[in-house]
Amino acid sequence: MSEPTYSPQHVRNPGDVVSGEELECAGGFGAALRDARGAKKLTLLAFARQINYSKGHVSKIECSKARPTPEFVEKCDTTLGMGGQLVARYEADHSSAGTVARPTKVPPVDIPPLPYDFVGRGAEADQLISAIGGRPESHRATTVLIHGMPGVGKTALAQHVAHRVQARFPDGCLFVTFEGSRDQELEWNIHGRLLRRLGMAAGDIPTEPDEARACFLSFLHPRRVLIVADGVTNADQVTSLVTASPDCAVIATSQQRLDVLEDCHRTLLQPLSGSDAAGLLRVVSGRSDLGAEADVL
């Protein structure tokens, strides 16, 4: 199926800013997202790849056939450079419907689905899962770091592990990406964003960063929450998410080893083995007939 085209009113120059009034008239978050994407001249497939979601999932949300998670909304807003307008549209939808974005009785789980072409990584996943389940005598959340070169599959492995251990964290499994954040805005607001997604009312969250972090640590202490921090660039981004509860855990991904990060299980992710690379080739090519000759690539 070919990519959808946009009518003239949906096509703007890439640098154009979509006004708040335009979003108000868009008829909901899905339509607002579609217009914002069109303004950047991004096809559905190209945009889905940028935010690491499937093309079908994004299409369903744009057509109001599926409900987005707060993480999905924030990622779209950041990727498209909307400065919070898409987040506001999403919140307005829930406000007008008389509902909250995430009821506190429902544990939030917004770990993105695995890419369709995820293969292998069994040994690495088992090591990470074992590390997450260990050290019950500890007085801090378990921290694991997946590091390696760009494009080696760190994010996909983190998502895979998170889905496998999800049952251990009944109070929530949250995904947040630091990659591409502008002017440290994400770092300043990270604790408030996570608290909102965990069900805390916005009015109860301090606006001052240090107080918001203290509130975050207190809120998570009696709970069992997993946080996937993708694309971190320094140790402080990770330690700011580590609580004093051994029932919580943080899975971080980075291109760097972050040696100054203390009490952390590290996994250096290498390129796929020959057999796994051959399996990946079969998946992306759709050719199940690729056999022994592919295994030697």
Side-chain angles (χ1 to χ4, degrees), residues 17-18 23 32 36 40 76-86 182:
V17 176
V18 182
L23 289 181
K40 301 296 182 181
C76 291
D77 192 282
T78 300
T79 301
L80 293 171
M82 298 301 293
Q85 293 186 65
L86 287 177
R182 298 182 177 88

Side-chain angles (χ1 to χ4, degrees), residues 12-280:
R12 304 174 180 84
N13 293 323
D16 289 351
V17 176
V18 182
S19 70
E21 181 179 357
E22 286 176 294
L23 289 181
E24 285 295 323
C25 300
F29 173 79
L33 173 60
R34 185 174 62 249
D35 284 353
R37 176 172 63 80
K40 301 296 182 181
K41 296 185 178 180
L42 285 172
T43 66
L44 189 63
L45 179 59
F47 179 64
R49 286 176 173 172
Q50 284 190 20
I51 63 174
N52 201 29
Y53 282 83
S54 71
K55 173 183 173 182
H57 183 67
V58 177
S59 177
K60 288 180 180 179
I61 289 176
E62 289 191 352
C63 297
S64 300
K65 294 181 179 179
R67 295 181 63 182
T69 64
E71 168 60 19
F72 177 91
V73 174
E74 290 178 359
K75 198 162 190 177
C76 291
D77 192 282
T78 300
T79 301
L80 293 171
M82 298 301 293
Q85 293 186 65
L86 287 177
V87 174
R89 177 66 268 176
Y90 170 75
E91 293 175 347
D93 287 350
H94 287 285
S95 176
S96 62
T99 60
V100 295
R102 192 183 293 279
T104 56
K105 293 183 179 180
V106 179
V109 178
D110 56 24
I111 306 298
L114 279 176
Y116 79 97
D117 56 358
F118 181 80
V119 298
R121 303 303 191 191
E124 296 93 335
D126 289 343
Q127 291 174 5
L128 290 164
I129 291 170
S130 177
I132 292 173
R135 307 183 318 140
E137 74 286 351
S138 176
H139 298 290
R140 58 187 285 128
T142 300
T143 305
V144 299
L145 173 69
I146 305 169
H147 63 102
M149 67 177 68
V152 77
K154 300 182 294 294
T155 300
L157 177 57
Q159 292 169 207
H160 173 68
V161 171
H163 284 297
R164 285 183 57 180
V165 302
Q166 176 182 330
R168 302 183 189 177
F169 301 94
D171 296 311
C173 298
L174 305 179
F175 183 95
V176 61
T177 179
F178 288 86
E179 189 174 6
S181 57
R182 298 182 177 88
D183 301 325
Q184 297 184 317
E185 180 181 359
L186 178 62
E187 293 182 53
W188 292 335
N189 298 322
I190 183 63
H191 300 104
R193 292 184 180 214
L194 290 173
L195 285 169
R196 286 197 300 272
R197 284 153 59 189
L198 286 165
M200 179 175 285
D204 295 335
I205 302 173
T207 56
E208 203 278 324
D210 288 340
E211 292 183 4
R213 184 190 180 191
C215 183
F216 170 82
L217 296 176
S218 177
F219 189 84
L220 262 66
H221 189 268
R223 294 172 171 82
R224 304 179 68 177
V225 174
L226 171 69
I227 297 174
V228 177
D230 187 46
V232 301
T233 57
N234 60 71
D236 290 341
Q237 293 170 339
V238 182
T239 56
S240 71
L241 302 174
V242 176
T243 72
S245 170
D247 294 325
C248 292
V250 176
I251 302 174
T253 72
S254 178
Q255 295 181 25
Q256 307 169 43
R257 179 180 167 83
L258 302 182
D259 288 321
V260 297
L261 193 61
E262 299 178 354
D263 198 16
C264 170
H265 173 88
R266 290 177 176 81
T267 292
L268 171 61
L269 198 61
Q270 302 283 7
L272 287 170
S273 65
S275 59
D276 285 340
L280 175 61

